[in-house]
Amino acid sequence: MLKDWPIMEQPREKLLSLGSQSLSDAELLAIFIRTGVQGINVVDLSRQLLKTFGSLSGIFNASQEELCQIKGLGNAKYVQLQACLEMVKRCLAEELVRGETLTSSQASKNFLIAQLRHEFREVFAVLLLDSQHQVIHFEKLFYGTLNAAAVYPRIVVEVAIRQHASAVILAHNHPSGVAEASLADKQITQTLSDALLLVDINVLDHMIIAGHQCYSFAEHGLL
């Protein structure tokens, strides 16, 4: 029984004493799930979930049917997980509200990671900025497969003009988990940069999201 564990090994007490960063993925999940099932304490149940779905991201991406097949879980837990994920996205989005100036790339990275890391297929998006690099709008434009998404420069240019953007940050995810720029990524970045430059819109960066990682074209000298 979890209650028989030493106090400092019980997830809630550990969090209160040492902070949430001290907990493992299984311990954080255990606090969320709250109770185990017959013969399995909540931490062991959480470990089983992580093994079944591969990661916290895999659990968040699980369908309602997949999640509800796990003993001890049901529609209520599925709804809570989705609500939790959406709250995280909105919390980070509040840091990039319209009118906020981007003074560093970290806020952009945090926001884009939250928006794209849980996507099971490749998604291409743009973060649109004004001449002072204040946030105007974020939009997911193209959806693809596990490996690629077709990107159409004309649509990117149209969206940027419609939002009166002066600069953009391009972004897409790699569901494979590899945070590196492929040759195709470099080519589409150059194509988009050339197309947007024709209408006086600068590409400040292209960020590739792979799980918790973020690859920045600007930081690697590719823009």
Side-chain angles (χ1 to χ4, degrees), residues 2 11 25-35 42-44 46:
L2 191 61
D25 288 352
E27 290 170 330
L28 288 169
L29 191 58
I31 290 176
F32 178 82
I33 296 175
R34 297 178 57 190
T35 59
V42 67
V43 174
D44 286 338
S46 299

Side-chain angles (χ1 to χ4, degrees), residues 98 124-131 136-139 141-142 152-170 192-193 195-203:
R98 183 184 182 98
F124 188 93
V126 291
L127 185 60
L128 303 159
L129 312 170
D130 66 15
S131 60
I136 297 174
H137 182 64
F138 170 77
E139 188 167 344
L141 293 178
F142 309 109
Y152 301 97
R154 176 178 59 81
I155 294 178
V156 176
V157 171
E158 287 177 353
V159 170
I161 292 175
R162 185 169 67 246
Q163 295 291 340
H164 305 290
S166 293
V168 302
I169 294 175
L170 309 173
L192 289 170
S193 295
L196 287 162
L197 192 59
L198 291 174
V199 289
D200 295 323
I201 298 174
N202 295 319
V203 175

Side-chain angles (χ1 to χ4, degrees), residues 3 7-8 36 42 45 56 68 72 74 87-88 90 96 107 117 121 133 143 156 160 172 185 190 214 221:
K3 66 181 181 180
I7 290 295
M8 286 307 297
V42 67
L45 175 60
L56 286 175
C68 292
M87 283 192 292
V88 170
R90 295 186 187 189
L96 288 177
R117 70 178 293 260
R121 54 182 174 169
H133 294 174
Y143 294 82
V156 176
H172 77 280
D185 293 334
Q190 187 61 56
C214 181

